[in-house]
Amino acid sequence: IYTGEDTLSLHDALPISIKVGAKVGASDKIFGSITNVQLAEAIKKQIGLVVDRKKIVLPEEVKTLGNFTAHIALDKDHNIPVNFEVIEG
């Protein structure tokens, strides 16, 4: 879990796009939607950072393949954007 003192390392590690796999049906729609838990697990697996799922804010329900941006709320006044791509898998 990251606190204010870890902001720099977290910010430096997240310019890449995180890949999140999902089962896909017709028209590139995924079964269900991507959750903050799935994104937290993908961040941990791909770049080795542990992020509290409660700190991840998804902008909308993510129900299709494509590129999206979530935010990690470090505190009341500081957020770090996280680009992620939902891929078939």
Side-chain angles (χ1 to χ4, degrees):
I1 299 173
Y2 281 85
T3 61
E5 63 192 43
D6 300 311
T7 301
L8 185 59
S9 63
L10 181 63
H11 184 63
D12 291 343
L14 291 174
I16 63 168
S17 184
I18 303 297
K19 308 281 190 225
V20 181
K23 292 184 181 180
V24 179
S27 304
D28 289 340
K29 290 186 177 180
I30 65 175
F31 294 108
S33 61
I34 298 300
T35 66
N36 54 354
V37 173
Q38 289 170 292
L39 185 54
E41 289 174 359
I43 292 169
K44 182 179 178 182
K45 182 177 180 182
Q46 292 172 38
I47 57 177
L49 293 174
V50 176
V51 178
D52 184 348
R53 66 172 177 80
K54 296 175 187 172
K55 303 272 185 187
I56 297 175
V57 179
L58 295 172
E60 60 202 48
E61 283 194 351
V62 178
K63 295 187 173 202
T64 60
L65 298 178
N67 294 302
F68 301 90
T69 301
H71 289 86
I72 298 174
L74 298 176
D75 59 36
K76 185 175 124 182
D77 298 322
H78 298 94
N79 292 314
I80 293 179
V82 179
N83 296 316
F84 67 100
E85 180 180 5
V86 180
I87 59 173
E88 188 171 352

